[in-house]
Amino acid sequence: MNSKMKTIEIPNIFTVQELFLRSANKFGNKLALKDIKDTPISELTYSELLSKILKFGNALKKVGIKERTHIAIIGDNSVQWTVSFLTCMCFNYVAVPIDKSLSENEILNIIYESDSEVIIFSKNFSQFLFSERSVLKNIKHCICMENVDVFKDFLEMKEIIDESEELPINQLPKIDADKYTEIVYTSGSLGRAKGVMLSQRNLSSNMLDIMRVLFVYPQDRILSILPIHHTFESTAGILYPLSCGASIHFSQSLKTLVEDLQTVKPTIICGVPLLFEKIYKKIINSIKENTVKKILVPVLVKTTNIARGFGLKNLKKIIFSQLHKIFGGKIRAFIVGGASSDPEIAKAYIDFGFNYVIGYGLTETSPILASNSLRKLRHDTTGIPFPSVQIKINNPDKDGRGEIYAKGPNIMLGYYKNEKLTQEAFDGDWFKTGDVASMDKKGYIYISGRKKNVIISKSGKNVFPEEIEDMLNKSEYILESVVYGKKDKKWNEIVAAKIVLNFESFIKLATQKKIELEEKFIHSTIGKEIEKINKQLSKFKRIKFFEIQNNEFEKTTTQKIKRYLVLE
């Protein structure tokens, strides 16, 4: 059923602890981690990273933190965040990564719900945690990644590491690969947090599957830009590169991304589609504004596509070298996941000579279930199942679409302290992803959208909002959109859209036409854009109502729109 991926020889290892010890021994004095900004521990080789872990873990033991203690970690992407996480993996603690962008109430709730007894945090959370000590009664130790200033009750991470001795490697705890090793909180459909329990077998099996299909080499430089608490970044962007001897460089922030790209000159970036879509829109707009480029670029794309068919694979990088320089000039692959990717944008990146590798998965699947590979880039699919993963389309309709069910060693153990939700997430031993897709005879998966977002037309046909949103978002006048089902007396439910304007494009248009940027003009322009899109859609999919919203939609840290807030 699956199109079998060609694989390489991989180690027979079942824990993150084993994988990291293997890397530390193999890559010793090679650079492992580096912060671009100045931090207390800003750069470590593999040997130094192992030493910090052995010292930090020993220090935690000395202050009375027992194995299986739940340790919350919150802060910026950094060397110290990674040291904290790997120490949990190696010393048999349970890591609870927390999204630093959450509200204070949400952070408190996760600390409480997760039964965390220790919290390791960036300095900017010091005042908040100090003021909430009376609420956080279960927290026995607060460990700051930077200096603690006036908060003398807090421990300082670098200080306790420097004062500690390395625990001998042969005294490291034995890890049970099948017990949960981290609890990752993910928002439910109503915004309620669910604690996903992942084991070291879950994580290591996913890393080894990535190793089978995407080669990372010791000379690779990974720029870490996605929030590190998210499983896509922590597994694909941190743990996997470390298992291969690559170096990871932590970006200062999205605001400094252009500068950081030139500093690091990365070979690999893990990113969400929205990041690449925003960059793509800027590239396309700059091409459209230049008469010569507007004519020349499509011709060069077609010519280099033909040349690639004759084996001239690097010609695109030469012809489109100016675009490659935007990303530092050394990019070997973009690894794209965390949300669905627009096929047209994926194709454009591939046409410009980038290896744009699309994957698919969820937090509950550690996280990757399927992907394309560097050997065979596809823009129109999320790829084929990983070697150790089984995928089936449950109860497909006449078009072959149904819910994706998954099975494999990467599937979560369940939701922490929530047996009811855990049972609802499985059908026998198959995990129900909640995503609707079809699968071709070669095993390639084509995702339509989330099952819970489907709009049912009066004729009973399914409309997937994500497909229409992709079309709307291609308009230069639309920054982002949410398509939903709106109740209607005549049609029961109609296709409706909430639109966020791209004011930059509207300002340019108003300047060209020498008119005022008035509400009537804006509404008319968007109406015409929707008319164009409706002509490309079947009648039952056409947008019958739209409204304009001034502010951008609230998003998760992986830039997925919080639909439940938009549609409240």
Side-chain angles (χ1 to χ4, degrees):
M1 181 160 155
N2 286 7
S3 175
K4 291 288 183 183
M5 287 185 170
K6 291 179 182 177
T7 62
I8 60 168
E9 199 68 35
I10 59 162
N12 193 27
I13 288 175
F14 304 107
T15 69
V16 177
Q17 184 198 64
E18 286 178 279
L19 275 167
F20 178 68
L21 291 176
R22 174 179 173 271
S23 287
N25 180 58
K26 188 174 181 180
F27 303 110
N29 294 324
K30 192 190 168 298
L31 179 66
L33 306 172
K34 185 176 174 63
D35 288 330
I36 296 175
K37 63 184 177 185
D38 188 37
T39 55
I41 305 174
S42 60
E43 186 174 325
L44 295 173
T45 64
Y46 278 83
S47 294
E48 290 166 343
L49 176 54
L50 176 60
S51 175
K52 297 293 184 195
I53 290 166
L54 294 173
K55 286 182 177 183
F56 191 33
N58 202 21
L60 297 180
K61 284 166 64 77
K62 291 284 174 65
V63 297
I65 301 171
K66 296 178 181 177
E67 288 182 36
R68 306 299 299 159
T69 296
H70 294 193
I71 299 179
I73 310 171
I74 186 167
D76 299 329
N77 290 22
S78 67
V79 171
Q80 282 170 272
W81 199 104
T82 309
V83 169
S84 303
F85 186 78
L86 286 171
T87 300
C88 290
M89 298 294 107
C90 290
F91 278 81
N92 201 24
Y93 296 124
V94 176
V96 184
I98 300 178
D99 181 351
K100 65 172 185 168
S101 70
L102 293 176
S103 69
E104 291 184 353
N105 276 341
E106 288 171 315
I107 293 167
L108 288 174
N109 184 50
I110 288 174
I111 294 170
Y112 172 76
E113 290 288 343
S114 65
D115 297 315
S116 293
E117 295 180 37
V118 178
I119 182 163
I120 304 170
F121 58 94
S122 292
K123 188 178 180 178
N124 49 317
F125 290 97
S126 296
Q127 182 63 57
F128 159 61
L129 292 170
F130 185 79
S131 63
E132 297 291 348
R133 285 181 305 167
S134 60
V135 177
L136 301 170
K137 294 185 186 297
N138 289 336
I139 295 293
K140 297 180 174 63
H141 297 284
C142 294
I143 304 170
C144 185
M145 295 181 195
E146 293 88 12
N147 63 67
V148 294
D149 292 336
V150 297
F151 306 108
K152 299 303 178 187
D153 291 346
F154 295 167
L155 297 171
E156 196 173 303
M157 182 175 172
K158 185 176 185 301
E159 187 177 283
I160 64 172
I161 288 175
D162 290 344
E163 291 175 357
S164 178
E165 294 180 353
E166 290 182 13
L167 184 81
I169 289 176
N170 60 8
Q171 291 181 30
L172 280 171
K174 182 173 174 55
I175 304 296
D176 185 336
D178 296 310
K179 282 188 174 180
Y180 68 91
T181 194
E182 71 169 324
I183 306 171
V184 185
Y185 280 83
T186 177
S187 292
S189 59
L190 299 176
R192 293 192 292 266
K194 299 180 289 185
V196 177
M197 296 186 291
L198 301 176
S199 69
Q200 294 214 19
R201 189 185 299 277
N202 289 154
L203 296 172
S204 59
S205 71
N206 210 234
M207 280 191 282
L208 296 178
D209 266 351
I210 302 171
M211 196 178 289
R212 289 178 171 110
V213 300
L214 175 69
F215 306 125
V216 168
Y217 303 101
Q219 59 268 34
D220 275 317
R221 295 179 301 281
I222 285 78
L223 182 63
S224 173
I225 54 177
L226 288 179
I228 199 168
H229 76 277
H230 196 276
T231 48
F232 180 45
E233 179 66 9
S234 63
T235 303
I238 305 295
L239 294 179
Y240 171 56
L242 286 176
S243 73
C244 300
S247 61
I248 299 160
H249 303 254
F250 296 101
S251 179
Q252 299 172 81
S253 71
L254 281 176
K255 290 179 181 177
T256 64
L257 180 58
V258 173
E259 177 190 334
D260 293 344
L261 285 165
Q262 302 311 315
T263 300
V264 174
K265 299 191 185 306
T267 58
I268 295 174
I269 297 175
C270 291
V272 292
L274 189 63
L275 170 69
F276 296 108
E277 285 169 18
K278 284 184 174 180
I279 296 170
Y280 167 78
K281 277 191 173 183
K282 288 184 178 179
I283 291 169
I284 291 302
N285 286 339
S286 70
I287 291 170
K288 284 180 179 177
E289 289 169 6
N290 185 306
T291 309
V292 176
K293 286 182 180 178
K294 192 176 178 180
I295 298 167
L296 192 59
V297 168
V299 174
L300 290 174
V301 165
K302 287 179 182 177
T303 305
T304 52
N305 282 346
I306 294 166
R308 185 170 54 190
F310 287 98
L312 298 171
K313 293 181 180 179
N314 290 325
L315 185 59
K316 284 182 176 289
K317 288 187 178 181
I318 297 167
I319 297 295
F320 300 112
S321 61
Q322 290 303 311
L323 290 182
H324 285 254
K325 283 177 183 176
I326 293 171
F327 298 94
K330 301 293 182 182
I331 286 291
R332 196 165 66 78
F334 293 132
I335 313 302
V336 188
S340 61
S341 187
D342 182 343
E344 187 177 303
I345 290 170
K347 184 179 185 302
Y349 274 101
I350 294 168
D351 281 343
F352 290 140
F354 293 101
N355 290 321
Y356 194 88
V357 184
I358 305 167
Y360 161 69
L362 303 90
T363 300
E364 289 89 340
T365 59
S366 305
I368 306 174
L369 286 169
S371 84
N372 287 281
S373 75
L374 285 172
R375 299 185 196 93
K376 191 170 184 180
L377 293 172
R378 292 273 301 268
H379 68 275
D380 58 341
T381 168
T382 54
I384 60 177
F386 268 180
S388 68
V389 173
Q390 294 179 60
I391 294 283
K392 74 173 182 178
I393 304 300
N394 187 58
N395 195 23
D397 61 18
K398 62 182 179 63
D399 297 318
R401 295 183 186 188
E403 185 176 1
I404 299 174
Y405 275 25
K407 190 192 291 188
N410 59 322
I411 304 297
M412 69 167 182
L413 303 180
Y415 296 111
Y416 185 62
K417 296 194 302 188
N418 200 326
E419 187 58 34
K420 183 176 181 291
L421 268 184
T422 299
Q423 287 178 1
E424 289 172 359
F426 288 86
D427 185 351
D429 55 356
W430 289 94
F431 173 66
K432 302 187 290 185
T433 66
D435 290 310
V436 176
S438 59
M439 183 186 285
D440 67 20
K441 290 178 181 178
K442 292 183 177 179
Y444 283 95
I445 299 165
Y446 304 85
I447 294 176
S448 300
R450 293 291 289 169
K451 187 177 178 180
K452 65 188 178 188
N453 297 339
V454 171
I455 302 164
I456 311 295
S457 71
K458 193 174 182 181
S459 61
K461 293 180 179 178
N462 291 341
V463 179
F464 294 93
E466 293 89 344
E467 293 177 351
I468 303 172
E469 286 162 6
D470 279 347
M471 297 174 77
L472 285 168
N473 295 344
K474 286 187 181 79
S475 167
E476 61 182 305
Y477 303 111
I478 297 172
L479 188 66
E480 55 190 11
S481 61
V482 168
V483 172
Y484 63 99
K486 181 178 171 66
K487 297 300 177 189
D488 181 82
K489 287 180 182 178
K490 183 180 178 182
W491 300 98
N492 296 330
E493 192 173 37
I494 59 170
V495 179
K498 287 194 177 186
I499 306 286
V500 176
L501 304 175
N502 186 338
F503 279 106
E504 189 179 325
S505 294
F506 267 104
I507 290 167
K508 285 180 183 176
L509 182 63
T511 304
Q512 286 169 7
K513 290 182 175 288
K514 297 180 181 180
I515 58 171
E516 292 294 319
L517 200 54
E518 295 176 344
E519 188 176 332
K520 186 179 178 182
F521 170 68
I522 290 171
H523 201 273
S524 170
T525 303
I526 294 297
K528 288 173 184 174
E529 291 296 294
I530 287 175
E531 281 178 25
K532 288 179 196 173
I533 289 162
N534 277 344
K535 286 176 182 176
Q536 301 171 53
L537 293 167
S538 303
K539 282 187 178 180
F540 70 92
K541 292 182 179 180
R542 288 175 184 169
I543 300 165
K544 291 187 168 62
F545 173 86
F546 74 90
E547 57 186 313
I548 292 167
Q549 179 170 311
N550 290 326
N551 299 322
E552 288 188 36
F553 301 123
E554 192 172 332
K555 301 177 187 71
T556 67
T557 46
T558 51
Q559 298 301 296
K560 284 188 278 193
I561 293 167
K562 294 181 178 179
R563 302 180 80 94
Y564 62 90
L565 292 179
V566 176
L567 303 176
E568 275 183 344

